[in-house]
Amino acid sequence: LMTSSDFGGSWSWAPLQPSLQPTGLEVDPTGNGLYAFNADCLSVSSDQGRSWSPCSQAAGLTGRLHQLLVVNTRVMFLTRVGAVPLRTTDGGQSWHELGGCAHLFKHGATLDGSLSWSGRTLVLHGADLGAIGRGEYGTAVWRSTNDGDDWTDETGDLVTISPGPGVWYEDDFYLVTRGEGVTVKRQFER
């Protein structure tokens, strides 16, 4: 792990423990936590990656981890492979499924998540790749403005069956597709 505390002017090398080979890193924008995760492990560093906690054994932290989204020191979301995303409101001590969006995952879909710049809006987006075989439309863009308690289906008239990454720019949410171009939801945070 390469770290810099002066905006890239100089760098320090911090080796990762062999049991933690992360597929992703996330920074707590409101604290000093650095989170590393792979499919089977969530670990945190409070010293800029020089040392790491053991893999979390928190209550409710189950399944294969896909993506971590950090709102602040207490509130975080974990999307999982083929399963309903998880939320913590106690800094990772316990995790709970986001039941309001559970039906999106009933056939084993894996969706990505995107947090707005303010952290007030969470979007789940992607596709259930088995939906076509079931005669269903598999693309999903769902939005929550209350930390995943309630959801609004924002898929609307999207015609793509191959959504890609979702990116926020100010209040606008951009959804890149794999072949059809880029779509945007203006003032999506409001």
Side-chain angles (χ1 to χ4, degrees), residues 137 154-160 185:
Y137 184 65
E154 300 282 356
T155 310
D157 58 356
L158 281 175
V159 295
T160 184
K185 294 272 193 170

Side-chain angles (χ1 to χ4, degrees), residues 126-127 129 132 137-139 159-165 175-181:
L129 299 178
I132 293 174
Y137 184 65
T139 299
V159 295
T160 184
I161 58 169
S162 56
L175 184 66
V176 179
T177 65
R178 293 181 173 97
E180 291 91 10

Side-chain angles (χ1 to χ4, degrees), residues 21-187:
Q21 295 301 305
T23 55
L25 295 168
E26 289 295 326
V27 175
D28 177 354
T30 63
N32 67 345
L34 174 62
Y35 296 87
F37 66 95
N38 61 33
D40 303 310
C41 180
L42 174 62
S43 182
V44 64
S45 173
S46 58
D47 58 10
Q48 299 178 341
R50 289 186 291 278
S51 64
W52 293 89
S53 70
C55 294
S56 175
Q57 300 296 315
L61 184 58
T62 60
R64 296 184 52 77
L65 311 182
H66 175 65
Q67 182 183 21
L68 177 66
L69 302 155
V70 181
V71 177
N72 56 46
T73 303
R74 304 207 42 84
V75 179
M76 294 174 253
F77 302 96
L78 266 169
T79 62
R80 300 183 292 169
V81 176
V84 176
L86 302 173
R87 173 183 61 195
T88 183
T89 57
D90 58 14
Q93 298 302 308
S94 63
W95 295 85
H96 307 278
E97 288 190 349
L98 298 175
C101 63
H103 76 279
L104 291 171
F105 302 90
K106 68 182 174 185
H107 296 289
T110 300
L111 301 181
D112 292 327
S114 296
L115 275 175
S116 64
W117 287 9
S118 70
R120 292 188 311 255
T121 304
L122 170 64
V123 177
L124 292 176
H125 52 89
D128 175 350
L129 299 178
I132 293 174
R134 296 188 308 272
E136 300 172 0
Y137 184 65
T139 299
V141 178
W142 281 54
R143 176 176 65 142
S144 174
T145 57
N146 59 3
D147 289 337
D149 287 334
D150 299 299
W151 294 89
T152 304
D153 182 355
E154 300 282 356
T155 310
D157 58 356
L158 281 175
V159 295
T160 184
I161 58 169
S162 56
V167 179
W168 284 90
Y169 181 75
E170 296 180 348
D171 288 342
D172 300 335
F173 180 70
Y174 292 81
L175 184 66
V176 179
T177 65
R178 293 181 173 97
E180 291 91 10
V182 178
T183 62
V184 63
K185 294 272 193 170
R186 298 279 183 206
Q187 298 186 350

